[in-house]
């Protein structure tokens, strides 16, 4: 009989990091299927290869560059890869996507010390990099419903609803916005499918619910006020459904590593994201502000955490 | 239902023993009685090798204010006094080794009718009986029952939560010994001069709750239901759940007018004051998936764990962990010759579990959500590994009650409590050095 000496507690929850990552992948899958339906096989290919290559890259870095011999894959590389794929246009060539992925994981994550150490959401770091490096590819959108088997080169290009509105004052139909029948990044178009996936995460208790609620709530409030002041700014529903808001609020801002740990901090974070997103949308030169708002708020997380420390039990108010 | 904020819901694992009435274990052949069978300083041995001792005879006297009397748990002969590694103190401590030579010949305490005794007389009996908190912390009961006069105590709270998984002894005591518990409570109420006592029972022990309610009828003692949640029985959380009072940081229950005692302690107080019986035995649960015949037992203090396990049909040969106490806060031991102590509420024996390798913290914030003290365990862990002890203390390191909820729930399998305990030890040591 070999008795081990171990520290209490001697019971542990069965849950682990891999299950969390797996749940995120599962939650994103409806939107992936939607992307394949609206944008064709290349969209699906980007998503699947993003996940697979992202995870392999992670394992490669850990095993061979950082020398962790018995590294067990945790799924976080796959999540980053898939999220990055959902943040690009189908016009992005595969080689450019790969560069973005390596940049996302290499500089967005491992340069900071790997899983859990990064300040910025790696997928958004990758996206920002791609936007700067390949602006044409990244902002050329295709008309959805092109058919699964059409090659990316065959499909027609179009502006996103936000750009259409900002530049031409054209409002896209809410129904199309809701189900995703509009131009845009792979994963940002269908509010419906993203919400479905998000409910899965909610049921599995995987989400920081306060971030999406405060983020979307702020956008709603901000855009309502703007609309009342001047309808030229677009109505609240349009702002909720268009652009990357749903993807950003439900899946990017809620990234555990790069968001605050306390409820109060999460609300501040969500409100901050919402205000910045609307400020960029309404007053910026750029039609879409979700990615940059989240990245900016990521940078503030250490500060938010510091100032929202919960009051210790029995601590007297000062 | 009354409760606190935070906490976790580990599997209860109580079904192995909750239906089993308390049994008295056969007398052990040899006992090892630590001179440190309580919080505070070790007591002084007053016997030497070769001495004949009777059951209940004093073998150790208190040495200092926080210390306690120690009695021989059997009738026999003192063989030696030797140092043994104390599983809780983490260092070698002297133990009186007594070989049993016959059945019990009792040496009782002088006592009387408690209703006619003065507070001081009762306290003296409790002190001479060597009673310490049987919930696990082993704090001398007579000290707890004599708060300084400026601390006005108005409520006596009895901990019947038994929130640790596996353990069922308190549950059985509340079912089988409710009258004794009541008497113990009335005695302690008299000592403290309080008008009210409340027993908190978790909702997974409804039978015990109803039984107490029935027995308490007509007395100023109330049974209340607590939500089944770990660590519902932690002192500060229990006080908060029942009275909504928060024990201040670094403070004690008496700072909010409360004294907390465990149900087992109530029985011990009754037995000492009414029956004149010193604390030489205690109730405990012996359970877990690796023990053949799990039981609720009354065991003499000093009985080797091995003997107790043998009495329960032995343990599986694949057993991986033997734990003194419950699985959440108990201490694992590898030497089965270690003895049962006054604070040993149970012996938990587990088969091997699937290993869960540690991953980096992903800031999922589950530890923050479950911490019953509103701490940020992930941060304390990080600061501890970076040896930033002062910063850790600013963030509540010393407020941690070491309940293990954070470690239990962590998806990255980080042992927060282990690092926190270590950091506390280092901080205490260095602070002492600085002064």
């Amino acid at each position: 009989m070999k008795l081990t000496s171990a520290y209490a507690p001697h019971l542990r929850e069965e849950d682990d990091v891999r299950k969390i990552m797996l749940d995120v992948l599962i939650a994103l899958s409806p939107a992936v299927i939607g992307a394949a339906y609206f944008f064709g096989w290349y969209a699906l290919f980007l998503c699947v290869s993003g996940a697979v290559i992202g995870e392999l890259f992670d394992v490669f870095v850990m095993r061979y560059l950082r020398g962790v011999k018995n590294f067990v894959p945790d799924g976080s590389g796959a999540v980053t890869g898939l999220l990055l794929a959902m943040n690009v246009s189908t016009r992005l060539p595969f080689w450019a996507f790969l560069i973005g992925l390596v940049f996302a994981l290499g500089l967005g994550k491992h340069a900071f010390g790997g899983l859990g150490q990064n300040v910025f959401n790696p997928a958004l770091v990758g996206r920002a990099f791609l936007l700067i490096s390949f602006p044409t590819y990244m902002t050329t959108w295709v008309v959805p419903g092109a058919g699964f088997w059409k090659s990316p080169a065959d499909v027609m290009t179009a502006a996103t609803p936000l750009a259409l509105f900002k530049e031409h004052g054209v409002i896209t139909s809410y129904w199309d916005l809701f189900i995703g029948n509009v131009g845009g990044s792979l994963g940002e178009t269908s509010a419906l499918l993203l919400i479905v996936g998000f409910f899965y995460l909610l049921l599995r208790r995987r989400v920081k619910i306060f971030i999406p609620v405060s983020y979307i709530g702020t956008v709603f409030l901000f855009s309502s006020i703007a609309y009342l002041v001047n309808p030229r700014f677009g109505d609240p529903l349009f702002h909720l459904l268009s652009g990357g808001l749903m993807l950003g609020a439900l899946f990017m801002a809620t990234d555990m590593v790069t968001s605050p740990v306390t409820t109060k901090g999460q609300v501040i974070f969500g409100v901050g994201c919402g205000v910045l997103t609307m400020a960029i949308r309404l007053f910026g030169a750029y039609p879409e502000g979700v990615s940059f708002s989240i990245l900016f708020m990521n940078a503030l997380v250490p500060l938010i955490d510091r100032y929202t420390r919960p009051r210790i039990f029995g601590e007297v108010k000062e | 239902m009354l409760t606190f904020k935070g906490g976790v819901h580990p599997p209860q694992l109580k079904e192995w023993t909750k239906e089993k009435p308390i049994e008295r274990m056969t007398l052990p052949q040899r006992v090892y009685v630590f001179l440190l069978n309580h919080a505070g300083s070790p007591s002084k041995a007053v016997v030497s090798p070769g001495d004949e001792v009777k059951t209940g005879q004093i073998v150790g006297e208190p040495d200092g204010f926080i210390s306690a009397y120690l009695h021989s748990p059997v009738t026999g002969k003192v063989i030696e006094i030797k140092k043994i590694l104390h599983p809780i103190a983490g260092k070698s401590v002297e133990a009186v080794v007594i070989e049993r030579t016959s059945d019990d010949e009792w040496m009782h305490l002088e006592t009387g009718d408690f209703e006619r005794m003065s507070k001081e007389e009762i306290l003296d009996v409790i002190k001479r009986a060597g009673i310490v908190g049987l919930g696990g912390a082993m704090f001398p009961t007579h000290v707890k029952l004599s708060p300084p006069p400026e601390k006005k105590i108005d409520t006596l709270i009895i901990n019947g939560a038994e929130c640790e998984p596996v353990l069922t002894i308190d549950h059985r005591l509340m079912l089988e010994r409710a009258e004794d518990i009541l008497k113990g409570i009335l005695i302690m109420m008299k000592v403290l001069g309080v008008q009210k006592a409340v027993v908190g029972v978790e909702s997974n022990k409804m039978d015990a709750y109803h039984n107490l309610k029935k027995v308490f009828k007509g007395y100023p003692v109330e049974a209340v239901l607590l939500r089944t949640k770990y660590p519902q029985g932690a002192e500060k959380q229990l006080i908060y759940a029942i009275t909504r009072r928060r024990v201040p940081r670094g403070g004690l229950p008496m700072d909010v007018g409360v004294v907390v005692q465990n149900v087992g302690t109530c029985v011990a107080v009754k037995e000492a004051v009414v029956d004149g019986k010193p604390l030489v035995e205690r109730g405990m649960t012996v359970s877990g998936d690796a023990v053949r015949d799990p039981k609720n037992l009354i065991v003499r203090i000093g009985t080797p764990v091995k003997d107790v396990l043998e009495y329960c049909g032995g343990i599986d040969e694949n057993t991986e962990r033997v734990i003194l106490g419950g699985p959440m806060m108990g201490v694992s031991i590898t030497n089965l010759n270690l003895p049962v102590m006054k604070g040993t509420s149970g012996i938990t024996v587990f088969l091997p579990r699937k290993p869960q390798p540690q991953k980096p913290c992903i800031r999922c914030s589950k530890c923050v959500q479950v911490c019953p003290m509103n701490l940020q365990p992930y941060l304390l862990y990080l600061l501890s590994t970076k040896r930033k002890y002062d910063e850790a203390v600013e963030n509540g390191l010393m407020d941690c009650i070491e309940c293990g909820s954070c470690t239990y729930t962590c998806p990255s399998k980080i042992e927060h409590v282990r690092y926190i305990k270590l950091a506390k030890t280092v901080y205490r040591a260095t602070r002492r050095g600085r002064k």
Side-chain angles (χ1 to χ4, degrees):
Chain A
M1 187 163 42
K2 181 86 187 76
L3 293 180
T4 37
S5 126
Y7 290 84
H10 305 278
L11 284 177
R12 301 293 178 79
E13 222 159 38
E14 271 184 29
D15 198 22
D16 63 24
V17 173
R18 301 171 81 164
K19 287 183 188 153
I20 295 178
M21 297 299 169
L22 184 66
D23 272 343
V24 176
L25 293 176
I26 292 172
L28 285 167
S29 55
V32 171
I33 294 165
Y37 175 79
F38 291 121
F39 298 116
W41 65 269
Y42 185 64
L44 185 65
F45 173 72
L46 277 183
C47 289
V48 174
S49 61
V52 172
I53 296 169
E55 191 59 34
L56 289 177
F57 182 75
D58 226 24
V59 174
F60 170 76
V61 171
M62 292 305 285
R63 286 219 178 131
Y64 300 106
L65 298 186
R66 303 184 58 192
V68 184
K69 292 261 154 33
N70 48 1
F71 175 73
V72 187
D74 49 40
S76 64
V79 169
T80 300
L82 178 54
L83 280 174
L84 181 66
M86 304 192 87
N87 271 292
V88 301
S89 158
T90 32
R91 270 305 171 88
L92 188 71
F94 189 60
W95 58 266
F97 176 67
L98 281 184
I99 295 173
L101 186 54
V102 169
F103 192 90
L105 286 168
L107 265 156
K109 183 163 123 182
H110 288 290
F112 285 91
L115 179 65
Q117 307 280 314
N118 48 303
V119 176
F120 299 101
N121 184 323
L124 286 179
V125 169
R127 175 171 206 244
F129 168 77
L130 288 173
L131 265 177
I132 294 160
S133 313
F134 310 105
T136 330
Y137 290 133
M138 283 296 285
T139 54
T140 308
W141 314 103
V142 299
V143 178
F148 188 73
W149 291 112
K150 280 209 175 153
S151 84
D154 295 340
V155 292
M156 301 217 306
T157 61
T160 67
L162 269 177
L164 273 176
F165 179 72
K166 189 148 192 162
E167 284 141 30
H168 309 286
V170 181
I171 291 258
T172 314
S173 116
Y174 290 146
W175 179 246
D176 282 347
L177 280 173
F178 184 65
I179 62 162
N181 195 18
V182 291
S185 301
L186 302 185
E188 71 180 29
T189 62
S190 172
L192 172 69
L193 295 174
L194 289 169
I195 291 170
V196 167
F198 183 73
F199 268 99
Y200 172 76
L201 284 188
L202 262 189
L203 286 176
R204 300 275 296 162
R205 294 164 180 264
R206 296 296 195 207
V207 222
K208 295 175 167 177
I209 181 72
F210 300 101
I211 294 175
V213 169
S214 57
Y215 192 166
I216 295 172
T218 304
V219 167
F220 182 80
L221 201 72
F222 202 128
S223 54
S224 303
I225 296 169
Y227 184 66
L228 289 179
V229 172
N230 187 346
R232 192 174 55 84
F233 286 130
D235 65 286
L237 203 57
F238 173 75
H239 280 289
L240 289 194
L241 295 174
S242 59
L245 181 69
M246 286 297 161
L247 180 65
L250 302 182
F251 289 99
M252 313 294 284
T254 50
D255 171 25
M256 293 169 167
V257 176
T258 57
S259 59
V261 291
T262 62
T263 306
K264 208 202 282 177
Q266 287 162 18
V267 171
I268 294 172
F269 181 84
V271 170
C273 286
V275 168
L276 285 172
T277 299
M278 285 315 294
I280 297 174
R281 278 191 185 180
L282 298 185
F283 312 117
Y286 188 66
E288 165 66 319
V290 170
S291 316
F292 289 113
S293 332
I294 297 173
L295 281 171
F296 185 80
M297 290 308 291
N298 282 162
L300 294 184
V301 166
L303 207 62
I304 297 174
D305 270 344
R306 178 173 286 255
Y307 288 103
T308 56
R309 193 199 86 182
R311 194 177 330 139
I312 296 168
F313 184 93
E315 191 175 16
V316 186
K317 240 184 259 178
E318 280 169 24
Chain B
M1 229 176 291
L2 304 169
T3 194
F4 63 99
K5 187 176 147 283
V8 291
H9 294 93
Q12 296 186 19
L13 310 175
K14 294 187 190 254
E15 61 282 358
W16 294 312
T17 49
K18 73 173 185 189
E19 306 292 341
K20 298 203 177 162
I22 304 171
E23 263 178 65
R24 184 172 286 276
M25 187 186 151
T26 48
L27 291 178
Q29 212 39 57
R30 184 179 280 201
V31 289
Y32 301 79
V33 187
F34 273 120
L35 285 169
L36 187 62
N37 242 302
H38 49 263
S41 37
S43 44
K44 241 181 4 232
V46 294
V47 289
S48 2
D51 289 1
E52 303 267 345
V53 287
K54 288 181 179 171
T55 309
Q57 183 178 332
I58 291 171
V59 298
E61 278 180 353
D63 188 13
F65 177 59
I66 301 179
S67 192
Y69 277 101
L70 204 58
H71 306 78
S72 175
V74 291
T75 300
K77 194 174 183 179
V78 177
I79 309 176
E80 57 177 333
I81 297 178
K82 69 166 181 184
K83 285 204 160 188
I84 303 175
L85 185 70
H86 193 289
I88 295 170
K91 59 182 180 194
S92 288
V93 173
E94 285 190 327
V96 181
V97 185
I98 304 166
E99 183 86 28
R100 187 168 68 88
T101 52
S102 72
D103 283 349
D104 282 335
E105 273 179 55
W106 279 91
M107 204 173 216
H108 285 286
L109 299 161
E110 269 177 51
T111 181
D113 178 2
F114 83 88
E115 306 209 8
R116 264 179 258 149
M117 287 160 78
S118 71
K119 282 182 190 180
E120 289 71 27
E121 284 169 329
I122 298 177
L123 262 180
D124 189 53
V125 176
I126 292 174
K127 184 178 178 184
R128 279 188 290 120
I131 299 177
V132 302
L134 299 187
M138 299 198 281
F139 194 82
T141 302
H142 67 275
V143 181
K144 233 181 183 180
L145 290 178
S146 33
E150 71 270 16
K151 302 284 179 195
K152 195 84 197 81
I153 306 295
D154 60 16
T155 310
L156 172 65
I157 290 181
I158 306 302
N159 188 352
E162 197 164 52
C163 57
E164 268 276 359
V166 176
L167 306 186
T168 54
I169 184 66
D170 287 354
H171 185 180
R172 293 308 307 179
L173 285 175
M174 290 186 282
L175 282 174
E176 299 175 34
R177 308 283 296 271
E179 286 82 8
D180 289 348
I181 292 171
L182 173 65
K183 238 174 219 160
I185 294 171
L186 294 174
I187 293 168
M188 289 192 280
M189 285 172 73
K190 178 166 180 183
V191 173
L192 290 167
V194 300
Q195 306 302 316
K196 197 174 82 176
V198 187
V199 185
V201 185
E202 273 190 351
S203 60
N204 59 351
K205 306 179 237 316
M206 288 310 284
D207 48 353
Y209 170 74
H210 289 301
N211 187 46
L212 291 179
K213 270 209 122 83
K214 202 177 70 201
V215 173
F216 293 165
K217 201 155 265 172
Y219 292 95
V221 183
E222 192 192 349
V224 295
L225 267 188
L226 305 167
R227 182 165 296 160
T228 303
K229 181 161 85 171
Y230 179 86
Q232 185 62 71
E235 205 166 56
K236 292 178 178 183
Q237 281 59 38
L238 184 71
I239 293 171
Y240 177 74
I242 292 177
T243 64
R244 297 281 122 180
R245 296 178 199 169
R246 292 170 200 264
V247 177
R249 279 181 81 182
L252 292 169
M254 63 182 179
D255 295 325
V256 290
V258 176
V259 166
V260 181
Q261 300 284 358
N262 165 272
V263 286
T265 314
C266 300
V267 175
V269 166
K270 180 263 167 186
E271 288 186 337
V273 178
V274 177
D275 312 327
K277 200 171 127 191
L279 184 67
V280 295
E281 58 187 13
R282 66 156 297 144
M284 66 169 63
T285 303
V286 184
S287 184
D289 52 13
V291 64
R292 298 232 165 78
D293 187 10
K295 288 175 192 296
N296 291 303
L297 283 180
I298 296 212
V299 179
R300 290 288 157 96
I301 309 298
T303 307
V305 167
K306 198 163 71 180
D307 294 8
V308 182
L309 294 178
E310 264 161 33
Y311 183 77
C312 296
I315 55 176
D316 195 291
E317 62 248 32
N318 298 316
T319 298
E320 185 190 61
R321 258 176 231 197
V322 176
I323 302 154
L324 292 185
M328 293 302 281
M329 286 186 80
V331 179
S332 75
I333 56 169
T334 51
N335 174 8
L336 298 185
N337 291 315
L338 284 173
V340 165
M341 284 172 287
K342 287 184 180 175
T344 309
S345 47
I347 301 172
T348 305
V349 197
F350 277 152
L351 289 171
R353 271 146 217 277
K354 209 171 70 190
Q356 297 174 310
Q358 184 179 326
K359 289 272 177 192
C361 170
I362 56 167
R363 293 168 48 85
C364 70
S365 77
K366 275 179 111 174
C367 59
V368 179
Q369 287 157 28
V370 302
C371 180
M373 292 302 290
N374 267 346
L375 302 173
Q376 305 192 73
Y378 84 97
L379 184 64
L380 296 178
Y381 153 74
L382 281 177
L383 294 173
S384 301
T385 53
K386 290 178 184 160
R387 304 182 183 203
K388 292 183 175 171
Y389 301 118
D390 289 317
E391 207 177 327
V393 170
E394 278 167 37
N395 282 287
L397 180 75
M398 304 316 268
D399 295 84
C400 172
I401 58 170
E402 301 173 15
C403 68
S405 297
C406 46
T407 310
Y408 171 77
T409 198
C410 179
S412 291
K413 311 300 164 197
I414 295 166
E415 295 186 280
H416 305 81
V417 184
R418 173 182 174 180
Y419 292 96
I420 288 172
K421 278 185 193 166
L422 195 73
K424 276 182 169 179
T425 313
V426 175
Y427 179 74
R428 282 202 192 101
T430 52
R431 193 180 51 179
R432 208 173 295 141
R434 252 182 256 161
K435 271 182 185 168

